Amino acid sequence: MIKVANVVEEGRYGGPQARIIAVAKKLKENNIETVVVFPKKDSDIFHKKLTEKGIQTRRLSLHRLTRQKSHLVKFIAFFIPELFSLYRLFKKEGVDIVHCNGSWQIKGVIASKLSGAKLIWHLNDTQIPAAIKIIFKFLAFYFCDAFITSGERVSVYYLNSREFSIKKTIVICPPVDTFIFDPKKVKEDKKIAQFQGIKILTVGNINPIKGIEHFIEMAAILNSQYGDLNFFVVGPHFESQKKYSEKMAIMVRNLKLKNLFFYGPSDDVASVLKSADIFVCSSVTESGPMSVWEAMSMAKPIVSTDVGDVAKFIRNGENGFVVSVKDATALAEKVAILIENNELRRKFGQQARETAVKHLDIENCAKKHAQLYREIMNK
């Protein structure tokens, strides 16, 4: 039995948290036990979902390293006591491997080294300040036993230098449970299903990385060309992104987009996706957008910006369209093709589903995790 402490310093539920739950559940079937370590603050939803799946949890007082001054001050002030609380937890639990999520997670990395556990650092972004990247390189070279990256671009961003060539690195895309995200098993979301016409949808928490302004601009362009359309932005509004959320709401009002709706968070993303006719990802940077994989699994035609490994799985003209980032006009042009061709929407959706099942399913993801864990333990 291998015991893994999967550490994440963001308690709010999102893509990384969904991945942690899905993988931990599957690893139990492979005789690998996971205890998920995360902060007490803002983590009630995450904790509830973990508990429902029978996954062990440990909630600690943990402060994230962020650009926000209030968070940064607390991160520095509580660094030493939180570092040692992680160290004591790893020792007490008899942890074999510490799996740290995110390049900013310095405390978990150091605590794993102090405890004598093996360290796997899971990298899932392509945009950090230069100072953090310098710290990352030092800790990664001396402390880390292996890396997981969520896409080829992430590997290039962090590990494309000679010193990391000796380190074990594996690319594991964020997974989707194609058994749950199956259009044949899911009912439509009642709130969205009541709308008539073509329903165009995006999923993600409201922040600049998701490029919501480009989705809004796209909607304005399409409204000038077509009637009977409805647009939905599904995802939470976090307090830390309040200014951005307000800016987006003002933008919608100024453009008089009465058919664009901020749905808010959803506990049943599969049903929300089931109700959509077209899925759009307008992100400006991603590593492996899970929302795109989920939409693919739900047999939806995809129009996405060229972020992360999207172009590896969305092939232009076969199962969707990929356009340049920050290009609302290109998004609108490709969505327009799908609006006008119901058969193409059906074809793209079917092909997208087949791609998700073959390449992005949770079974493949969990198997790669298990293989890496065992390889690290057998070194």
Side-chain angles (χ1 to χ4, degrees):
M1 171 73 77
I2 298 173
K3 188 161 189 177
V4 178
N6 202 313
V7 186
V8 58
E9 290 184 350
E10 172 59 85
R12 296 175 300 190
Y13 187 76
Q17 290 72 21
R19 166 180 54 79
I20 289 168
I21 293 172
V23 172
K25 181 185 174 185
K26 288 293 180 181
L27 287 175
K28 287 181 73 174
E29 302 168 9
N30 288 272
N31 205 33
I32 295 174
E33 182 181 359
T34 304
V35 55
V36 182
V37 184
F38 55 99
K40 295 176 181 177
K41 185 175 174 60
D42 297 329
S43 63
D44 288 347
I45 295 174
F46 187 28
H47 180 255
K48 179 183 177 184
K49 290 180 179 290
L50 284 162
T51 303
E52 288 173 348
K53 299 297 182 182
I55 300 166
Q56 291 189 57
T57 65
R58 301 292 183 270
R59 299 172 84 176
L60 302 178
S61 177
L62 294 174
H63 292 87
R64 293 180 296 122
L65 176 60
T66 72
R67 294 185 178 92
Q68 290 180 283
K69 289 183 179 179
S70 59
H71 288 284
L72 182 60
V73 169
K74 290 178 181 177
F75 174 83
I76 295 170
F78 295 101
F79 186 90
I80 298 299
E82 291 180 2
L83 170 64
F84 277 96
S85 69
L86 285 167
Y87 160 75
R88 287 191 295 270
L89 174 65
F90 298 157
K91 292 294 285 186
K92 180 181 177 182
E93 297 282 347
V95 169
D96 299 302
I97 297 172
V98 174
H99 183 145
C100 282
N101 294 273
S103 56
W104 298 60
Q105 196 163 179
I106 298 170
K107 290 193 290 285
V109 170
I110 298 174
S112 71
K113 183 69 173 180
L114 292 174
S115 72
K118 302 285 188 179
L119 172 66
I120 294 175
W121 207 336
H122 198 140
L123 308 172
N124 51 18
D125 62 68
T126 55
Q127 195 176 54
I128 60 169
I132 301 300
K133 198 169 184 180
I134 292 170
I135 296 171
F136 161 80
K137 285 193 171 184
F138 175 82
L139 293 176
F141 182 75
Y142 288 104
F143 291 3
C144 196
D145 294 284
F147 298 98
I148 296 174
T149 65
S150 57
E152 297 290 349
R153 290 183 180 180
V154 181
S155 298
V156 171
Y157 182 76
Y158 282 104
L159 307 173
N160 192 28
S161 55
R162 188 185 304 172
E163 65 263 32
F164 290 117
S165 62
I166 61 172
K167 298 281 188 177
K168 176 69 177 180
T169 301
I170 183 170
V171 175
I172 306 179
C173 288
V176 55
D177 191 330
T178 59
F179 180 81
I180 293 175
F181 284 83
D182 184 344
K184 294 179 180 178
K185 300 174 182 175
V186 178
K187 294 182 179 179
E188 288 191 351
D189 177 85
K190 293 179 181 179
K191 190 174 174 181
I192 295 177
Q194 66 181 335
F195 289 86
Q196 302 300 313
I198 301 292
K199 295 179 276 289
I200 301 163
L201 183 140
T202 191
V203 175
N205 59 68
I206 313 303
N207 72 73
I209 288 174
K210 301 299 181 182
I212 304 300
E213 61 267 41
H214 307 300
F215 183 85
I216 295 171
E217 290 170 9
M218 174 205 72
I221 294 169
L222 292 170
N223 273 344
S224 67
Q225 301 171 5
Y226 302 96
D228 210 17
L229 302 177
N230 286 291
F231 303 88
F232 301 90
V233 180
V234 179
H237 297 253
F238 293 136
E239 185 64 27
S240 59
Q241 297 295 341
K242 185 177 179 180
K243 288 184 178 180
Y244 181 75
S245 292
E246 291 173 347
K247 182 180 177 182
M248 294 303 98
I250 291 170
M251 187 176 178
V252 169
R253 288 198 299 271
N254 289 343
L255 290 171
K256 298 180 181 178
L257 298 177
K258 295 182 179 180
N259 60 338
L260 191 150
F261 308 94
F262 288 98
Y263 180 101
S266 171
D267 288 331
D268 190 355
V269 175
S271 290
V272 166
L273 290 169
K274 172 78 172 183
S275 307
D277 295 294
I278 300 168
F279 182 86
V280 174
C281 171
S282 56
S283 294
V284 297
T285 179
E286 293 267 7
S287 56
M290 189 180 291
S291 63
V292 175
W293 310 155
E294 291 171 345
M296 291 171 66
S297 186
M298 288 299 295
K300 296 301 167 183
I302 311 294
V303 178
S304 175
T305 47
D306 187 11
V307 291
D309 280 4
V310 164
K312 186 176 178 180
F313 301 108
I314 297 294
R315 298 175 300 279
N316 264 315
E318 292 184 30
N319 60 353
F321 293 117
V322 180
V323 304
S324 300
V325 299
K326 300 181 180 181
D327 192 340
T329 301
L331 286 172
E333 287 173 353
K334 298 304 184 185
V335 171
I337 294 172
L338 294 172
I339 289 172
E340 295 177 2
N341 193 329
N342 181 57
E343 177 56 27
L344 188 62
R345 294 202 302 271
R346 187 201 63 77
K347 176 189 171 185
F348 277 11
Q350 181 181 340
Q351 293 289 335
R353 165 79 182 167
E354 291 175 4
T355 301
V357 170
K358 184 176 180 180
H359 297 290
L360 297 165
D361 186 68
I362 182 60
E363 293 285 353
N364 298 331
C365 178
K367 187 181 296 184
K368 289 179 180 178
H369 276 78
Q371 288 172 347
L372 180 60
Y373 289 161
R374 292 195 173 101
E375 182 178 341
I376 293 302
M377 289 303 297
N378 290 331
K379 269 191 173 183

